[in-house]
Amino acid sequence: MSQAVSGETYFQNFTEKHKKILNTLVRNNPGLLSGSFSLLVFNPHVLDFDNKRSYFYQRLHDDSANSTAAGAGGANAGRRPGSRPLGASLNLHVHRENVFEDSFHQFVGRSGEEIKRGRINVRFHQEEGVDAGGVSREWFQALARQMFNPGYALFRPSAAGRVTYQPNPQSWANPEHLQYFKFVGRIIGKAIVDQRVLDAYFTRSFYKHILGRSVDYRDMEAIDPSYYKSLEWILENDITDVFDETFSIEVDNFGQHRIIDLIPNGQEIAVTEENKAEYVRLVTEQRLYKAIKDQIGAFLDGFHDLIPKDLIQIFNEQELELLISGMPDVDVDDWRNNTEYHGGYSSSSAPVQWFWRAVRSFDQEERAKLLQFVTGTSKVPLEGFAHLQGNQGIQKFQIHKAFGPTTRLPTAHTCFNQLDLPVYDSFESLKSNLLLAISECSTGFGFV
């Protein structure tokens, strides 16, 4: 047993140490991940996003071709490994003003494999035009807008900037909500299969659910900032004689109030200093999972019709957003010109100068992950960073001086687009700690 653990630790240490060269080798020869480098897939933290993405699509299309080879009638003979297998056309005739419901009804009755392999061919009612790719691209974007339409009650915007979305626990007001969630899961899956970028951004906790990972109380910040602060205060302070709650939670469904026990007889069990961590875990699970578990389950039923569960799990939450929504085009000059400084920092402070030097040295993926780390999403407003959204409306990017030891990693408050940056003593120290922070953030902090 100890030898197995020792070997696993050695493997992790070795791959971490040689991460850069391993990614370069895989980038030059992607087939290595299906051969001599296949073990790297079991330590996806080492792989860069572009290498994971290449492996993902190779596996996705190879699996699809293999599963349908018997019925393909030779249509896929001679197909290159990793290329998309051929499929029949999925002809859709939809009204532009009713694109969501029309598409929903035309997807009903189709199998996941049929949708996965099929070539989308869209015609908008009373509009001319042959779909050579442009019309279906427009169809995907129209669906991405409509799935968040408040009239369907499927999703609600998060508090963090109101540009990311979370399943609505009251979606049951729509009688067909679970069928719609399954449809949305299929649309997201189909967009991934067809490599169509969607203007659709979800909360960190919802990405975790798609990946089968545990949520953490810190994920609450995007949903309810004040409640998150309350949970944080409970964990960081002695609550003896100052906190009068039980293992229960009150919920409001359109004015109907009811109490939910977090554990059996929870209303009779007081929260104490000794059991407060368990209370925070359970109340987080209730609000971020159990309250929307039916919606999550229906979405995943549709999503997994097209995307294998084990394959999508090679990504982390940040990378899943980039897979669905694409890599942002970040204008560093615009970003810098619309940044505020607090706590003693100014634009001329050495750590601030080093920060922007580091950002300029980052590649596109690293800049996207930094944005996700601080703002909660990689989405950049169409009007630029001057219109970056916070929980109270427009909120520019902020850099605050973080006091304390310079061994600390930078931290962030996504509701305020705020980066707390320690006073590092060198550019190298700042850059390495910043990269570590945005990398470690992506792994999440699930309860064990």
Side-chain angles (χ1 to χ4, degrees):
M1 179 69 177
S2 61
Q3 287 182 336
V5 173
S6 177
E8 182 179 334
T9 302
Y10 175 80
F11 171 71
Q12 291 177 341
N13 291 341
F14 176 85
T15 52
E16 286 284 352
K17 181 178 180 181
H18 301 286
K19 178 177 179 178
K20 188 171 184 179
I21 191 169
L22 288 171
N23 274 284
T24 300
L25 290 170
V26 169
R27 196 168 289 116
N28 292 333
N29 185 4
L32 287 172
L33 287 178
S34 299
S36 55
F37 281 23
S38 59
L39 282 176
L40 288 180
V41 178
F42 297 99
N43 187 16
H45 179 68
V46 170
L47 292 174
D48 289 340
F49 173 64
D50 62 324
N51 282 329
K52 290 185 187 180
R53 190 175 183 274
S54 295
Y55 172 79
F56 171 83
Y57 278 110
Q58 180 182 351
R59 276 281 313 276
L60 183 69
H61 295 320
D62 283 350
D63 288 352
S64 179
N66 291 337
S67 67
T68 57
N76 290 311
R79 188 184 63 85
R80 290 182 295 107
S83 63
R84 182 181 170 187
L86 301 175
S89 291
L90 292 177
N91 296 312
L92 304 174
H93 185 197
V94 298
H95 294 73
R96 188 176 292 275
E97 67 276 10
N98 204 35
V99 63
F100 188 83
E101 289 195 31
D102 284 356
S103 301
F104 166 73
H105 289 297
Q106 292 181 51
F107 265 58
V108 171
R110 295 185 184 271
S111 69
E113 196 61 37
E114 186 181 0
I115 296 170
K116 180 178 180 179
R117 297 182 61 243
R119 298 187 301 272
I120 295 289
N121 183 35
V122 178
R123 182 184 174 194
F124 285 106
H125 184 64
Q126 293 185 338
E127 293 185 26
E128 297 295 331
V130 177
D131 189 358
V135 181
S136 58
R137 186 181 304 113
E138 188 177 354
W139 173 78
F140 271 115
Q141 293 305 332
L143 281 176
R145 290 190 296 271
Q146 282 299 303
M147 69 177 67
F148 301 126
N149 184 332
Y152 293 114
L154 300 178
F155 296 91
R156 63 183 185 186
S158 70
R162 304 186 69 81
V163 295
T164 60
Y165 289 83
Q166 174 85 349
N168 181 2
Q170 297 176 334
S171 65
W172 49 263
N174 182 335
E176 295 185 288
H177 71 132
L178 295 183
Q179 295 96 315
Y180 280 149
F181 270 109
K182 181 175 181 178
F183 171 64
V184 171
R186 283 181 157 193
I187 291 300
I188 299 293
K190 182 59 175 172
I192 291 175
V193 170
D194 289 1
Q195 301 187 48
R196 298 290 194 185
V197 171
L198 295 180
D199 186 16
Y201 295 83
F202 299 98
T203 59
R204 180 189 183 92
S205 56
F206 189 58
Y207 289 128
K208 284 186 175 183
H209 291 312
I210 296 175
L211 297 172
R213 297 181 182 174
S214 300
V215 293
D216 177 86
Y217 82 93
R218 280 160 281 203
D219 297 316
M220 188 71 72
E221 185 175 16
I223 311 300
D224 189 336
S226 60
Y227 195 72
Y228 158 75
K229 286 185 176 296
S230 297
L231 296 180
E232 187 176 49
W233 185 90
I234 291 170
L235 291 174
E236 294 179 353
N237 294 274
D238 188 335
I239 64 169
T240 304
D241 298 327
V242 297
F243 190 72
D244 185 23
E245 293 290 341
T246 63
F247 273 77
S248 61
I249 185 173
E250 183 178 0
V251 296
D252 176 5
N253 287 326
F254 295 110
Q256 297 289 323
H257 293 264
R258 64 189 181 99
I259 304 296
I260 295 176
D261 284 338
L262 302 174
I263 56 176
N265 300 315
Q267 296 176 60
E268 309 300 324
I269 301 173
V271 179
T272 66
E273 179 65 18
E274 290 70 31
N275 63 22
K276 67 180 184 181
E278 178 69 359
Y279 169 78
V280 169
R281 185 186 73 81
L282 290 171
V283 80
T284 298
E285 181 182 58
Q286 174 62 39
R287 290 197 57 177
L288 297 186
Y289 172 64
K290 288 186 176 180
I292 53 173
K293 67 177 181 179
D294 291 342
Q295 293 88 330
I296 292 169
F299 175 94
L300 291 178
D301 282 346
F303 186 77
H304 290 150
D305 273 350
L306 283 75
I307 307 294
K309 180 179 180 180
D310 63 330
L311 187 56
I312 198 68
Q313 289 176 346
I314 66 171
F315 298 106
N316 59 44
E317 306 92 84
Q318 292 174 309
E319 292 165 340
L320 180 57
E321 179 180 88
L322 298 179
L323 187 72
I324 294 171
S325 306
M327 198 76 71
D329 183 14
V330 179
D331 184 336
V332 178
D333 288 328
D334 180 48
W335 189 355
R336 184 172 186 170
N337 290 336
N338 288 285
T339 294
E340 300 173 348
Y341 305 98
H342 300 273
Y345 274 154
S346 69
S347 60
S348 60
S349 301
V352 170
Q353 295 282 330
W354 293 334
F355 171 82
W356 291 115
R357 179 181 165 191
V359 173
R360 290 190 185 281
S361 73
F362 287 174
D363 60 27
Q364 196 176 24
E365 179 185 340
E366 289 165 339
R367 290 176 186 173
K369 287 187 174 182
L370 175 59
L371 262 181
Q372 290 173 319
F373 177 65
V374 182
T375 71
T377 176
S378 61
K379 184 173 184 177
V380 178
L382 291 175
E383 306 90 338
F385 281 91
H387 293 264
L388 202 63
Q389 293 288 313
N391 69 329
Q392 299 295 327
I394 291 178
Q395 174 62 70
K396 290 187 177 182
F397 191 87
Q398 305 179 63
I399 299 179
H400 288 237
K401 180 183 286 187
F403 297 94
T406 57
T407 53
R408 293 177 54 197
L409 293 178
T411 56
H413 302 279
T414 56
C415 281
F416 307 104
N417 301 328
Q418 176 181 327
L419 176 69
D420 292 340
L421 187 67
V423 187
Y424 295 111
D425 54 12
S426 69
F427 166 73
E428 291 74 17
S429 177
L430 181 145
K431 182 178 179 180
S432 63
N433 279 287
L434 188 59
L435 284 171
L436 182 59
I438 65 177
S439 173
E440 291 302 312
C441 166
S442 69
T443 63
F445 301 92
F447 290 106
V448 177

